[in-house]
Amino acid sequence: MSASIRLLQVHDKATITSVTAPGEMGRRLRDMGLVPGTEIEIVGRAPLKDPVALRLRGFTLTLRNNEADYIHVAKKDSN
């Protein structure tokens, strides 16, 4: 099942399945390494749940929820 990054909780791990952002925003997200097949982990959220901090490819990246909504992921089992 594919869901937006916004729906993940801290410590959840997932794999990006698609980036649906249009135009310049989509290009910018892909340039930051947010491409299908990339594994991510949610490492933190601000007190009001926006922004969200992700760990991917050895670095931490923060995104606003309106940006995270365009990134769809498949959540990994927490076993």
Side-chain angles (χ1 to χ4, degrees):
M1 182 176 109
S2 182
S4 163
I5 287 179
R6 183 191 291 246
L7 302 177
L8 298 178
Q9 303 298 316
V10 174
H11 304 299
D12 281 351
K13 294 182 180 181
T15 302
I16 296 174
T17 57
S18 67
V19 178
T20 60
E24 185 66 25
M25 181 189 291
R27 186 187 66 78
R28 189 172 62 84
L29 292 172
R30 288 186 292 277
D31 286 350
M32 290 189 287
L34 297 165
V35 295
T38 302
E39 295 184 6
I40 65 164
E41 179 180 1
I42 306 301
V43 294
R45 287 191 176 272
L48 297 176
K49 306 291 185 204
D50 189 24
V52 58
L54 322 169
R55 185 92 180 142
L56 68 145
R57 300 178 187 248
F59 69 95
T60 301
L61 174 69
T62 58
L63 294 175
R64 294 270 180 208
N65 280 333
N66 65 335
E67 297 167 325
D69 285 340
Y70 291 108
I71 303 164
H72 301 277
V73 297
K75 186 176 173 184
K76 292 188 173 194
D77 292 329
S78 56
N79 292 336

